């Protein structure tokens, strides 16, 4: 016979609370580079949010487990961390594909939000800087999809030609006579590959100055055979967290209300 207490659906208020906590926790994990699969518990008597975190992910060690002595129980370090931060959760190790994962059952939506805050607090400098740079890029119409974090660095690559021109202009690089001579109106034109190389050469010193260190600005023009599937691109390369923050600040400062370029004209 069905258990009415277990089978009854959540009321709207409780469901909305769990969904909001789920989104907050999912965003925290994603922005911190931690592979995690959160889902909301549906029955009233279940955990509010359940998170599965593969144990073979290196970010898990740094963000959630810490650097203590090895434990025969892989869930024990995380249990201690959560308890220390007042997070009510059941943690166990479960099978996950060929490996294992931590299954974290968070009692309430508030516990999920507190875990999100913990993940954010333990986010690496590189991930924090990458988020700032993504926001700055988005603010001037540049896709943030090609900003990654690897080995403690922020990797910026594959911005297309129009995005590169926008970045050049925002960083006070828009007054070059050589730039005016380039034919870059059509990012899908396979014959403008030399102009792509010239733009990359011009952009390099501008972004390097803004970031306080060298950025490669490598041209990645499309060939005749691949232009139909991708446009011309420029890869800025690997930046330290400090460089990424300086570049983000330079973009934000140039686009702030009332900001002026080095020539004294309103910033683009």
């Amino acid at each position: 016979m069905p258990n009415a207490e277990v089978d009854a659906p959540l009321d709207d208020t409780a469901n909305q609370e769990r969904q909001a906590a789920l989104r907050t926790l999912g965003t925290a994990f994603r922005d911190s580079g931690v592979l995690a699969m959160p889902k909301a518990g549906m029955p009233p008597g279940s955990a509010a949010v359940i998170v599965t975190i593969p144990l073979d992910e290196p970010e898990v060690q740094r963000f959630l487990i810490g650097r203590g002595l090895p434990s025969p129980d892989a869930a024990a370090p995380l249990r201690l961390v959560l308890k220390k931060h007042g997070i009510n959760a059941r943690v166990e190790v479960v099978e996950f594909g060929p490996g294992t994962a931590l299954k974290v059952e968070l009692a309430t939506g508030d516990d999920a939000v507190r875990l999100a805050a913990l993940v954010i607090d333990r986010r690496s400098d590189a991930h924090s800087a990458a988020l700032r740079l993504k926001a700055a890029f988005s603010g001037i119409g540049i896709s943030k999809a090609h900003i990654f974090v690897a080995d403690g660095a922020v990797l910026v690559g594959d911005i297309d030609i129009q995005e590169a021109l926008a970045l050049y202009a925002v960083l006070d690089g828009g007054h070059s006579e050589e730039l005016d001579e380039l034919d870059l109106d059509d990012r899908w034109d396979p014959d403008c590959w030399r102009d792509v190389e010239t733009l990359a050469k011009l952009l390099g010193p501008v972004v390097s100055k803004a970031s306080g260190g060298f950025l490669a600005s490598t041209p990645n023009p499309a060939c005749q055979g691949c232009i139909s599937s991708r446009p011309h691109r420029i890869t800025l390369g690997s930046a330290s967290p400090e460089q990424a923050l300086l570049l983000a600040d330079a973009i934000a400062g140039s686009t702030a209300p009332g900001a002026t370029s080095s020539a004294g004209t309103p910033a683009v």
Side-chain angles (χ1 to χ4, degrees):
M1 183 175 180
N3 187 325
E5 182 179 342
V6 173
D7 293 344
L10 288 171
D11 61 55
D12 287 343
T13 300
N15 182 54
Q16 290 176 14
E17 177 189 343
R18 291 187 177 191
Q19 293 298 328
L22 175 68
R23 290 190 294 271
T24 298
L25 186 57
T27 299
F29 275 119
R30 183 175 63 253
D31 289 347
S32 298
V34 180
L35 176 61
M37 288 151 281
K39 65 178 182 179
M42 297 311 296
S46 69
V49 178
I50 302 152
V51 190
T52 302
I53 310 169
L55 273 169
D56 58 357
E57 289 293 314
E59 299 292 350
V60 175
Q61 302 293 326
R62 181 161 52 80
F63 284 116
L64 300 179
I65 298 177
R67 300 191 176 100
L69 295 175
S71 169
D73 178 3
L78 181 55
R79 288 195 195 104
L80 291 175
V81 169
L82 298 184
K83 183 178 180 180
K84 178 181 178 181
H85 289 83
I87 299 170
N88 185 11
R90 180 172 181 265
V91 185
E92 62 180 334
V93 178
V94 297
E95 292 185 0
F96 184 80
T100 57
L102 291 173
K103 181 181 180 182
V104 184
E105 297 179 307
L106 296 146
T108 68
D110 286 342
D111 289 309
V113 172
R114 281 193 286 270
L115 176 56
L118 175 62
V119 173
I120 291 171
D121 184 60
R122 294 188 172 206
R123 189 164 58 204
S124 72
D125 290 342
H127 281 95
S128 295
L131 283 176
R132 285 269 299 278
L133 187 56
K134 286 180 179 181
F137 270 20
S138 295
I140 58 173
I142 299 179
S143 171
K144 60 184 181 182
H146 297 289
I147 297 178
F148 304 96
V149 173
D151 299 326
V154 181
L155 308 182
V156 187
D158 289 347
I159 63 175
D160 70 29
I161 299 309
Q162 297 308 312
E163 292 172 330
L165 288 169
L167 182 59
Y168 189 89
V170 164
L171 295 177
D172 295 336
H175 305 292
S176 167
E177 292 182 3
E178 192 173 1
L179 181 67
D180 294 337
E181 296 175 357
L182 301 182
D183 182 13
L184 294 168
D185 292 336
D186 185 0
R187 60 178 179 167
W188 298 95
D189 179 7
D191 295 327
C192 69
W193 62 271
R194 291 189 183 278
D195 290 333
V196 175
E197 293 185 342
T198 299
L199 175 59
K201 182 179 179 181
L202 293 172
L203 183 61
V206 173
V207 292
S208 294
K209 179 180 179 180
S211 66
F214 174 75
L215 287 179
S217 186
T218 303
N220 186 14
C223 63
Q224 291 281 352
C226 62
I227 192 68
S228 61
S229 60
R230 73 164 180 88
H232 300 295
R233 294 169 177 167
I234 291 176
T235 300
L236 296 186
S238 177
S240 69
E242 294 77 15
Q243 281 181 281
L245 288 174
L246 286 172
L247 181 56
D249 288 345
I251 294 170
S254 295
T255 58
T260 58
S261 70
S262 58
T265 56
V268 176

